[in-house]
Amino acid sequence: LGAATWAGPALAQEEALEPNSLEEIRGYNNFYEFGYDKGDPARHADAMATEPWTIKVDGLVDRPGDYPLADLLAGLEAEERIYRLRCVEGWSMVIPWNGVELADVLDKAGVRPEARFVAFETTVQPEVMPGVQARVLDFPYVEGLRLDEARHPLTILATGLYGEPLAKQNGAPVRLVVPWKYGFKSIKSIVRISLVEEQPPATWNLTNPSEYGFYSNVNPEVDHPRWSQATERRIGGGLFSSRQPTLMFNGYAEVAPLYEGMDLRENF
Amino acid sequence: MAAPARWAQRINGWLRRVPAWTVYLGGAAWMVWLFWRGLTDFTLIEPIDWLERAYGDAALKLLVVTLAVTPLRRFAGVNLLRFRRALGLLAFFFVLAHLLVWAVLDVQALGAVWADILKRPYVTVGMAAFLLLMPLALTSNDASLRRLGGAAWRRLHRLTYPAAVLGAVHYIWLARGFALEPLVYLFLVLGLLALRFPVPRRAPA
């Protein structure tokens, strides 16, 4: 059940996506809790405790509570989704995720009609997280989506890739994947999911609001103040790899209706 | 200045036996080795970004060492003066290599390079540092020293100071989130510059 068949129409006339190697996906990461060097997460994340894993689901839901991860996933079959991942820094990968649709998980808790946004939070384990100790950012890392974005069938909670459980530096045991947004929206190692009425805070947006918007949709026409977003470099091409054009919504044009009538330059 | 301490004299004795060309050779070997790693070491995963940073980092380190030559002599009696030209020129060539990797391997388009220089302050600042170093590299030879005369030549070469500050600022501006290392470079550069000025008398409160 690959994404290629499932997302067929949108991807039909495109290159077949060739996933990056496991070494690349596990060796080149942004997970600032473990430091800001791309190799830091692979160096330090092993010490993070991921078992048992409980996710607090609260806010505007019918059945709030501390859910063991297995309960949230029970009855849902993980499927493979081969997605592009575009980092705001101008590089990209292709990753064969295994996961479930976030909408199905939200339904388990029962979303109340007043809910308009979903807020997420990453675990904080200061004693094993050098980046938390160094206060690289204001932790815990938080992110958010509008409810319709969260319920979109492309949005998944990933628990593995290449058929293996997620490596800790990739956000074990469970992380968000929103393929049409810059990578930092896809929050890792989630310990809390809250349904809320108001737009929730998002770490990079709080850190530097002029550089990182709440929406952070991949958009080649809206530059980051410090670098262009028109092109990207696919990881794995070596010293002479050439840049390729970045696609609107990272190539997932089917999400465009979510933003109908919105000025995407204003709501970047 | 008092005679240097015994340990400093000992170091100076060793240093006298090291010809200055070894610094050029070492620097060139370092540069080539970094490029070779970028080309062949697949564990780097993203060699373009790595090489760009490695060259920039080497340039900053060399600038710091170059700026340390005078204070080292004045305060510790260790004399690296014979190597200063080589160190400074190497710093320039690492900046040049850093710039070329960025423009040719990373950005890959002249229009985009130009747009970045104009639009993005951290690139503008880095470019300014490079431009400040250019006349210094061009006059780092005995003929230029003679033509300009010692005083004018020394005045010109004080451009190293703003160039090093701009280089450190360029590095700080790159970081997303709080990064300690770029700040350490700025403090080092500012500290080494501060050592050059006579201790100012405190203004009465």
Side-chain angles (χ1 to χ4, degrees), chain A residues 89 136 226 233 241 243, chain B residues 46 106 108 173 176 178:
Chain A
E89 295 163 351
V136 172
R226 284 183 285 159
R233 190 165 47 239
S241 80
R243 287 183 166 271
Chain B
E46 220 298 50
D106 187 351
Q108 301 178 359
W173 222 323
R176 302 170 66 207
F178 173 75

Side-chain angles (χ1 to χ4, degrees), chain A residues 148-209:
Chain A
D148 58 344
E149 297 176 318
R151 300 200 72 105
H152 193 279
L154 281 174
T155 305
I156 61 169
L157 282 179
T159 52
L161 58 91
Y162 271 118
E164 290 185 40
L166 282 182
K168 291 181 181 176
Q169 61 268 34
N170 293 131
V174 62
R175 65 169 292 166
L176 184 68
V177 180
V178 197
W180 71 92
K181 293 176 181 282
Y182 294 117
F184 65 85
K185 292 293 287 184
S186 292
I187 186 170
K188 292 170 170 161
S189 304
I190 299 168
V191 290
R192 185 173 179 186
I193 300 176
S194 310
L195 277 292
V196 294
E197 218 176 325
E198 302 293 322
Q199 180 177 300
T203 294
W204 280 108
N205 178 237
L206 290 177
T207 306
N208 201 335

Side-chain angles (χ1 to χ4, degrees), chain B:
Chain B
M1 194 168 63
R6 271 268 272 288
W7 62 267
Q9 288 185 12
R10 180 121 37 98
I11 291 176
N12 289 339
W14 293 330
L15 287 173
R16 262 192 291 278
R17 271 174 260 159
V18 181
W21 59 260
T22 55
V23 178
Y24 291 107
L25 193 72
W30 187 15
M31 192 180 285
V32 171
W33 180 76
L34 288 173
F35 193 85
W36 181 248
R37 255 198 87 183
L39 204 59
T40 57
D41 183 350
F42 295 106
T43 64
L44 295 175
I45 301 180
E46 220 298 50
I48 298 174
D49 183 61
W50 178 84
L51 190 62
E52 200 173 313
R53 282 171 183 274
Y55 282 164
D57 185 70
L60 256 181
K61 286 195 166 94
L62 282 162
L63 278 173
V64 166
V65 174
T66 309
L67 287 177
V69 170
T70 294
L72 264 180
R73 198 161 70 110
R74 188 178 301 161
F75 298 106
V78 174
N79 190 348
L80 288 169
L81 215 52
R82 282 174 48 243
F83 306 102
R84 189 165 63 180
R85 176 182 290 172
L87 291 167
L89 274 171
L90 273 182
F92 171 78
F93 282 115
F94 271 101
V95 173
L96 181 65
H98 169 70
L99 179 67
L100 286 174
V101 170
W102 169 71
V104 178
L105 297 183
D106 187 351
V107 181
Q108 301 178 359
L110 202 59
V113 164
W114 188 239
D116 271 359
I117 292 171
L118 295 181
K119 261 170 75 175
R120 323 221 182 265
Y122 84 93
V123 182
T124 316
V125 162
M127 204 59 200
F130 172 71
L131 290 178
L132 289 176
L133 290 176
M134 198 118 81
L136 310 193
L138 290 172
T139 57
S140 284
N141 52 72
D142 292 339
S144 297
L145 177 57
R146 271 194 304 274
R147 206 174 50 242
L148 286 166
W153 188 91
R154 271 195 298 278
R155 226 173 13 250
L156 175 68
H157 280 248
R158 281 191 201 128
L159 286 178
T160 313
Y161 308 167
V165 173
L166 290 175
V169 169
H170 169 70
Y171 189 19
I172 290 173
W173 222 323
L174 272 174
R176 302 170 66 207
F178 173 75
L180 187 64
E181 208 184 319
L183 290 174
V184 170
Y185 277 106
L186 184 67
F187 288 135
L188 276 175
V189 168
L190 292 178
L192 289 169
L193 294 185
L195 289 176
R196 286 170 156 72
F197 298 104
V199 181
R201 264 176 300 168
R202 249 173 229 286

Side-chain angles (χ1 to χ4, degrees), chain A residues 116-132:
Chain A
R116 290 181 52 236
F117 291 90
V118 190
F120 304 87
E121 191 178 309
T122 297
T123 181
V124 188
Q125 302 177 16
E127 60 288 353
V128 296
M129 292 178 157
V132 173

Side-chain angles (χ1 to χ4, degrees), chain A residues 1-8 10-11 14-20 25 79-87 91-103 149-162 175-181 183 186 218 232 234 247 249-255:
Chain A
L1 241 176
T5 45
W6 174 82
L11 301 174
E14 255 185 73
E15 22 107 56
L17 289 178
E18 183 69 44
N20 281 88
I25 296 170
E79 46 179 305
E80 184 182 63
R81 296 282 179 92
I82 301 173
Y83 282 160
R84 293 179 210 84
L85 176 121
R86 169 62 155 83
C87 178
W91 53 268
S92 62
M93 290 193 190
V94 174
I95 303 182
W97 301 107
N98 309 108
V100 300
E101 289 184 16
L102 175 61
E149 297 176 318
R151 300 200 72 105
H152 193 279
L154 281 174
T155 305
I156 61 169
L157 282 179
T159 52
L161 58 91
Y162 271 118
R175 65 169 292 166
L176 184 68
V177 180
V178 197
W180 71 92
K181 293 176 181 282
S186 292
V218 175
E232 66 199 55
R234 183 66 49 82
L247 305 170
F249 296 121
N250 205 20
Y252 300 94
E254 60 265 51
V255 301

Side-chain angles (χ1 to χ4, degrees), chain A residues 23 72 110 210 239:
Chain A
E23 292 71 34
L72 276 186
S210 66
L239 199 52

